[in-house]
Amino acid sequence: MNLTTLEYFVQVATEGSLTKAADKLFISQPTLSRHMKNLEAELNTQLFVRQSHSLKLTENGITFLKATTKVI
């Protein structure tokens, strides 16, 4: 995990969409998706509930977002 990944996570959590977050971060959606899946694997927890066209934070995701915003 690095600062860039944390910034990506905050953007995804804020936008509620990988596509919208990727556009704002100027990276491809598959790259951003891979970063989020790797982050979840590293933390050994699910951060998002993936829906057809949006993402919703899990309880662990909400907790991690609060902690992350204190760091960055």
Side-chain angles (χ1 to χ4, degrees), residues 16-65:
S17 165
L18 285 167
T19 303
K20 290 178 184 179
D23 287 344
K24 288 198 174 187
L25 293 165
F26 303 104
I27 63 172
S28 72
Q29 183 273 328
T31 299
L32 184 56
S33 181
R34 188 171 48 253
H35 275 277
M36 294 304 97
K37 286 182 181 183
N38 290 344
L39 178 62
E40 288 178 318
E42 186 174 343
L43 295 172
N44 198 31
T45 191
Q46 185 177 358
L47 298 171
F48 302 100
V49 175
R50 287 156 175 83
Q51 299 169 337
S52 59
H53 294 288
S54 64
L55 298 173
K56 184 178 177 182
L57 288 172
T58 62
E59 287 297 319
N60 288 338
I62 292 168
T63 301
F64 189 67
L65 179 60

